[in-house]
Amino acid sequence: WHLRGSLLGLQVLAYNRHTYQTVTQHLIITIIPAPDGDPPYQSEFLVGNRNVEELLPEATQETFLQAVAGVWDQDDLHVVNITSALDRGGRVPLPIEGRKEGVYVKVGSHGAFSPCLASAASPQSRFRCSLGQQPLANCYDTFAPHFAIHWCNLTLLQVWPSPRTPGPTWGSGVLEEGGYFQPPTEATPQDLLPGYLVTLLVPLAVAVLLCLLLGHLMCCRREGV
């Protein structure tokens, strides 16, 4: 992929699960920032009976959002991210009984979480999940039977926009008439002679010592001398 301005180029490589045939497609995506920014309230659901490609069609996402609206009383819900469970450390399912990989679907809204979602993600609910019991949920599961939600993996996030630091103010780049350039910092004068002598004399002294040692071994250690 490559990014240029507000355009994103993606090269998608896909393969057939049964025939292992591959196909490549190059996509150009226009990036448009959201007018209201990222939604501050985000909820991530783990759908256990779907693969990631089954939730990519827009019609399926609309059906999923309608199910989310049944447990989250907001009308501005939209899908933020869709991730395969295999990318989160999930195991590849066995090819029996039509088992699926599982998909993490993150949904965002500008409204607060409903009491149903808050109770399902509460510490009491997490404790029940650690004991192998059903989590706390005081509302009707509107996802069934199309989507099997693993409520013990429900995650609620509150994302607040980070404050933006003002950038530098750029001028025209031309020095005004009569002005003088003022460097940001003044360079203090340094005496470079000691460093120069150390760099020059130390290797020279080592070379002289090696020559004297080599001459002593070759001339004074010969047989008969």
Side-chain angles (χ1 to χ4, degrees):
W1 63 275
H2 62 275
L3 181 63
R4 182 179 181 182
S6 61
L7 296 179
L8 176 65
L10 283 177
Q11 184 177 5
V12 182
L13 177 63
Y15 75 96
N16 191 311
R17 297 172 182 268
H18 305 287
T19 62
Y20 296 97
Q21 183 180 2
T22 60
V23 61
T24 304
Q25 184 176 4
H26 188 73
L27 302 177
I28 302 297
I29 302 175
T30 303
I31 302 175
I32 302 177
D36 299 332
D38 295 333
Y41 297 93
Q42 299 181 8
S43 178
E44 190 174 54
F45 303 87
L46 174 57
V47 185
N49 63 337
R50 294 297 180 96
N51 291 330
V52 64
E53 64 271 10
E54 297 176 353
L55 279 171
L56 294 180
E58 185 176 357
T60 307
Q61 295 184 22
E62 290 296 333
T63 305
F64 185 82
L65 290 178
Q66 293 176 4
V68 175
V71 296
W72 192 353
D73 302 327
Q74 299 294 337
D75 55 358
D76 62 338
L77 301 173
H78 63 276
V79 177
V80 177
N81 188 27
I82 298 177
T83 307
S84 173
L86 300 181
D87 297 335
R88 300 286 188 86
R91 296 182 178 180
V92 178
L94 297 176
I96 56 176
E97 302 176 357
R99 297 184 181 181
K100 304 293 183 177
E101 299 173 354
V103 186
Y104 284 92
V105 183
K106 183 181 293 185
V107 180
S109 173
H110 286 81
F113 299 116
S114 64
C116 175
L117 296 179
S119 62
S122 62
Q124 295 81 4
S125 181
R126 301 295 187 192
F127 178 72
R128 291 173 61 92
C129 289
S130 64
L131 298 178
Q133 302 177 5
Q134 292 294 330
L136 297 176
N138 53 8
C139 58
Y140 178 72
D141 188 357
T142 57
F143 294 93
H146 302 289
F147 306 100
I149 303 299
H150 295 182
W151 289 101
C152 289
N153 296 88
L154 177 66
T155 303
L156 303 182
L157 302 173
Q158 285 187 275
V159 181
W160 303 107
S162 57
R164 297 183 178 180
T165 57
T169 303
W170 301 102
S172 61
V174 179
L175 186 65
E176 298 180 359
E177 184 178 0
Y180 296 96
F181 173 71
Q182 297 293 336
T185 56
E186 295 184 359
T188 58
Q190 299 180 0
D191 188 7
L192 302 179
L193 181 60
Y196 172 75
L197 294 178
V198 170
T199 305
L200 181 64
L201 296 179
V202 171
L204 183 60
V206 173
V208 171
L209 291 177
L210 291 178
C211 291
L212 294 176
L213 179 62
L214 182 61
H216 174 72
L217 293 177
M218 296 183 64
C219 300
C220 301
R221 292 293 178 178
R222 298 178 61 184
E223 184 178 359
V225 178

